[in-house]
């Protein structure tokens, strides 16, 4: 995929393989995000809406032809996601769906409308060629990335492995100490809910939200969300059981499923809710096969709002090893930067868990599997009431009860992901000036490789190392280079632009990222969306043609290798 502006990238993504989502140049996207923030009134209630293609020529009939064809063949009901070409098109699309007899669910910031329509064929006839519609796709299924019938065990036996070996393996204690006990940067757990009455989570729940009722009831019938939450924030030192790898970091519990089954629309709703709550990290311990443009939009919405998504790579490494999302849309290619983190699971000592889905988009690994089979996975809390999947007689779990709490072992990339989310929040506490993708970069660069040397598909850059990550965060270059430039009109329809040479800078005692890249960003719609017009390793002298009837906004950028971008608005011009 080309390394152009995100709005251009998204148009291209309508017709490219799913893996292209992970290949975008994140430094370029960071510059576009920062340029967007220069625009007055870009954010509503503190949330920056996702820039949409707007004038894209890619429509539903050409953007995802296989999806539209499959939908058109359905004479009966079908659950769909409709992507708008612009935010202004969303109300009209929702109204059209109501005329079909549907009850649309609108995700305003992502520009997506979900609905169950009575007839797929009727939907295709009505909206298949509508210029307001960028794409139409089926609402695909996802699941929590764990199988308790083959992944939970009860006793450590004579192995000598501590209950909290995972906490030790990611060196969480050193990270918590460096962060002063925890992080002020909250983590959203988009999952099956949580038992907020658990003594292990007392005082650790900052907010609760159920995507269906839009209320605060997040009771967990499955146990998965509670288990994940315990791995992040279970209270240490209370004499009960486990301890969370993020210390006293607060959680936003977002229930997006009642039974462990999700759809893409559930994921979009959960991510949008997390962004609106201004969290720093979103833990996504779920996965599913098949690329979805709507899912990508939600993930990019998080990126544009400086929120870090962390996702489980999936548990199908032994059964075909298919690409699974959202993780494959987050991790950069072969250890390069992405807009989030894809996490695989390791066993005690750092050996790769064979069940972990592995591919070129794996970022790193974390503890998530027992030494053998379902023996001694990672240890965490369960809801106090019975009835979870761990309580099923066919499960290989034996449960622990202590001081009013319940505990068990679990295995899966679902339970590796919270360790990465935890350390990410602590890293952000140590260096609050980091951007979301820089937090991910810190974790990747500081990971401890346990399988061979360098990056690999099984463990990515290595196992998360909290002590090393927080140490790197303290010296990570977060200073943007200065941007020097000017622009001068040349006639009725062009502007001459000069972007001068810059020298990188950093704070005393910090690393210097260097490797400057000069760019020119242009908006043809008054600053609502930006495109990357030029990207060079040297200063820029260029004549830019003005286009369209709206204001053309020109912004000079100079970015270093860490993605710190110095921006300067060069002017607003209209074509005469």
């Amino acid at each position: 995929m080309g390394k152009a502006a995100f709005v251009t990238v998204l148009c291209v993504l309508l017709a490219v393989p799913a893996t292209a989502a992970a290949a975008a140049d994140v430094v370029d996207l960071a510059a576009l995000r920062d340029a967007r923030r220069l625009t007055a009134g870009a954010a509503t209630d503190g949330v920056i809406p996702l820039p949409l293609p707007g004038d894209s020529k890619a429509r539903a009939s050409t953007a995802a032809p296989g999806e539209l064809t499959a939908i058109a063949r359905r004479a009966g009901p079908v659950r769909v996601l409709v992507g708008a070409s612009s935010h202004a098109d969303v109300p009209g699309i929702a109204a059209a769906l109501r005329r079909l007899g549907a009850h649309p669910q609108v995700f305003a910031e992502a520009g997506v409308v979900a609905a169950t329509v009575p007839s797929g064929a009727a939907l295709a006839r009505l909206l298949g060629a509508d210029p307001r519609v960028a794409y139409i796709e089926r609402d695909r299924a996802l699941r929590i990335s764990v199988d308790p019938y083959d992944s939970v065990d009860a006793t450590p036996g004579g192995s000598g492995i501590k209950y909290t070996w995972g906490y030790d393996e990611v060196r969480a204690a050193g990270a918590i100490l460096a962060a002063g006990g925890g992080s002020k940067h909250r983590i959203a757990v988009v999952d099956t809910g949580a038992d907020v009455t658990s003594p292990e989570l007392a005082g650790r729940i900052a907010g609760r939200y159920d995507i269906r009722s839009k209320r605060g009831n997040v009771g967990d019938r499955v146990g998965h969300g509670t288990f994940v939450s315990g791995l992040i924030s279970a209270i240490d030192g209370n004499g009960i059981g486990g301890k969370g790898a993020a210390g006293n970091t607060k959680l936003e519990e977002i229930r997006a499923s009642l039974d462990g089954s999700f759809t893409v629309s559930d994921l979009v709703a959960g991510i949008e809710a997390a962004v609106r709550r201004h969290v720093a990290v979103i833990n996504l311990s779920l996965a599913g096969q098949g690329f979805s443009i709507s899912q990508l939009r939600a993930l990019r919405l998080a990126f544009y709002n400086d929120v870090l998504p962390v996702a489980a790579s999936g548990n199908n490494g032994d059964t075909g090893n298919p690409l699974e999302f959202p993780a494959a849309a987050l991790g950069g290619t072969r250890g390069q930067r992405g807009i989030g983190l894809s996490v695989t699971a390791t066993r005690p000592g750092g050996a790769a868990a064979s069940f972990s889905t592995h591919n070129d988009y794996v970022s790193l690994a974390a503890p998530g599997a027992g030494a053998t089979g379902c023996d001694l996975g990672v240890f965490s809390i369960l809801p106090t009431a019975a009835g979870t999947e761990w309580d099923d007689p066919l499960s290989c779990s034996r449960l622990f009860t202590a001081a009013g709490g319940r505990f068990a072992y679990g295995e899966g990339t679902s339970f590796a992901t919270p360790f990465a989310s935890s350390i990410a929040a602590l890293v952000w506490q140590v260096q609050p000036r980091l951007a979301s993708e820089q937090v991910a970069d810190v974790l990747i660069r500081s990971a401890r490789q346990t399988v061979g040397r360098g990056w690999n598909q099984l463990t990515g850059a290595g196992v998360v190392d909290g002590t090393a990550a927080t140490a790197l965060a303290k010296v990570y270059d977060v200073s943007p280079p200065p941007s020097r430039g000017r622009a001068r009109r040349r006639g009725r329809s062009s502007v001459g632009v000069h972007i001068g040479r810059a020298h990188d800078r950093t704070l005393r005692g910090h690393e210097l990222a260097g490797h400057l890249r000069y760019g020119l960003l242009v908006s043809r719609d008054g600053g609502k969306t930006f495109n990357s017009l030029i990207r060079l390793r040297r200063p820029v002298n260029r004549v830019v043609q003005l286009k369209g009837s709206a204001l053309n906004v020109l912004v000079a950028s100079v970015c270093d290798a860490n993605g710190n971008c110095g921006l300067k608005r060069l002017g607003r011009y209209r074509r005469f």
Side-chain angles (χ1 to χ4, degrees):
M1 180 170 57
K3 297 176 180 179
F6 168 61
V7 285
T8 302
V9 166
L10 183 56
C11 297
V12 176
L13 279 173
L14 301 180
V16 297
T19 53
D25 189 298
V26 177
V27 173
D28 281 352
L29 291 180
L32 293 165
R33 176 186 61 197
D34 294 345
R36 175 78 165 155
R37 289 172 177 168
L38 287 179
T39 306
T44 302
D45 296 330
V47 175
I48 299 176
L50 179 70
L52 297 181
D55 60 354
S56 169
K57 295 180 181 179
R59 301 303 179 200
S61 56
T62 58
E67 285 292 283
L68 189 60
T69 299
I71 291 168
R73 289 173 179 165
R74 295 285 297 272
V78 59
R79 179 75 177 176
V80 297
L81 295 161
V82 182
S85 293
S86 73
H87 287 286
D89 295 324
V90 170
I93 292 172
L97 291 169
R98 291 189 190 96
R99 290 197 296 273
L100 283 178
H103 301 282
Q105 181 181 11
V106 174
F107 306 113
E109 281 83 1
V112 176
V113 184
T116 300
V117 295
S119 166
L123 173 70
R125 287 194 299 270
L126 180 65
L127 294 180
D130 194 316
R132 299 172 299 179
V133 176
Y135 64 87
I136 304 173
E137 62 185 1
R138 290 165 290 181
D139 193 0
R140 296 178 180 273
L142 302 92
R143 274 201 63 83
I144 52 180
S145 292
V146 61
D147 181 1
Y149 294 100
D150 190 39
S151 67
V152 185
D153 195 37
T155 65
S159 68
I161 298 175
K162 293 173 60 177
Y163 288 99
T164 54
W165 67 269
Y167 175 97
D168 295 337
E169 199 117 319
V170 299
R171 299 214 290 171
I176 293 170
L177 179 63
S183 179
K184 295 180 181 178
H185 293 73
R186 289 169 292 130
I187 300 173
V189 178
V190 178
D191 215 292
T192 60
D195 181 0
V196 298
T197 68
S198 170
E200 286 281 71
L201 296 177
R204 297 288 165 86
I205 309 298
R208 298 173 288 176
Y209 181 76
D210 175 64
I211 66 166
R212 289 172 176 78
S213 67
K214 296 180 172 55
R215 298 181 182 274
N217 178 16
V218 295
D220 185 10
R221 304 174 187 175
V222 180
H224 188 269
T226 303
F227 197 99
V228 167
S229 297
L231 289 171
I232 298 172
S233 285
I235 298 172
D236 185 15
N238 60 357
I240 299 179
K243 50 186 177 182
N248 61 17
T249 301
K250 298 293 182 67
L251 302 175
E252 288 281 344
E253 298 290 354
I254 299 176
R255 187 171 69 178
S257 171
L258 296 177
D259 60 3
S261 297
F262 299 77
T263 61
V264 170
S265 60
D266 294 332
L267 178 64
V268 174
I271 292 174
E272 192 172 85
V275 170
R276 286 179 176 173
R277 279 164 167 70
H278 306 291
V279 302
V281 180
I282 304 177
N283 189 93
L284 300 168
S285 290
L286 47 86
Q289 298 175 30
F291 173 64
S292 163
I293 303 172
S294 298
Q295 189 175 145
L296 177 61
R297 281 192 173 190
L299 297 171
R300 291 292 171 90
L301 173 67
F303 175 84
Y304 263 84
N305 285 275
D306 205 21
V307 177
L308 178 66
V310 183
S313 71
N315 291 349
N316 288 303
D318 289 330
T319 53
N321 195 41
L323 275 180
E324 297 195 59
F325 296 89
L330 291 175
T333 307
R334 299 182 66 83
Q336 297 179 9
R337 292 184 184 210
I339 62 170
L341 292 169
S342 169
V343 187
T344 61
T346 52
R347 303 188 184 280
S354 63
F355 62 75
S356 292
T357 300
H358 48 279
N359 48 59
D360 281 352
Y361 308 103
V362 168
S363 306
L364 39 67
T372 58
C374 64
D375 180 42
L376 303 179
V378 292
F379 186 78
S380 189
I381 63 174
L382 294 178
T384 53
T388 71
E389 292 191 358
W390 275 263
D391 294 287
D392 193 297
L394 297 179
S395 169
C396 62
S397 173
R398 302 175 195 170
L399 306 178
F400 299 80
T401 302
R406 299 201 312 148
F407 306 86
Y409 286 99
E411 185 172 74
T413 55
S414 268
F415 305 140
T417 304
F419 286 109
S421 295
S422 297
I423 301 306
L426 297 173
V427 160
W428 228 328
Q429 178 67 21
V430 168
Q431 178 47 272
R433 291 179 59 185
L434 290 166
S436 60
E437 73 280 3
Q438 292 176 329
V439 173
D441 185 46
V442 168
L443 264 69
I444 290 169
R445 284 177 52 185
S446 60
R448 182 179 69 259
Q449 187 55 272
T450 57
V451 177
R453 299 180 63 183
W455 179 93
N456 65 76
Q457 288 192 356
L458 297 175
T459 59
V463 175
V464 173
D465 187 327
T467 299
T470 49
L472 176 57
K474 292 178 180 179
V475 298
Y476 192 89
D477 183 357
V478 292
S479 301
S483 179
R484 299 184 176 93
R486 62 179 182 272
R488 181 175 298 177
R489 178 179 282 279
R490 298 180 57 169
R492 297 172 59 86
S493 60
S494 63
V495 175
V497 173
H498 170 74
I499 302 174
R501 185 173 300 278
H503 298 281
D504 200 10
R505 59 187 180 184
T506 190
L507 300 174
R508 184 182 298 274
H510 285 214
E511 66 177 16
L512 182 68
H515 301 284
L516 298 186
R517 189 158 61 186
Y518 300 81
L520 178 62
L521 312 178
V522 61
S523 171
R524 310 291 190 183
D525 56 11
K528 295 179 182 178
T529 59
F530 281 86
N531 202 340
S532 181
L533 192 63
I534 299 169
R535 187 185 67 256
L536 299 170
R537 291 292 185 185
R538 61 182 184 276
V540 173
N541 286 287
R542 188 67 58 92
V543 175
V544 178
Q545 298 299 314
L546 303 175
K547 297 181 180 180
S549 58
L551 283 172
N552 287 227
V553 182
L554 302 180
V555 175
S557 72
V558 182
C559 301
D560 66 18
N562 278 1
N564 301 302
C565 297
L567 303 182
K568 181 179 181 181
R569 190 158 71 176
L570 302 178
R572 297 154 60 90
Y573 302 90
R574 193 183 299 275
R575 183 174 182 271
F576 295 147

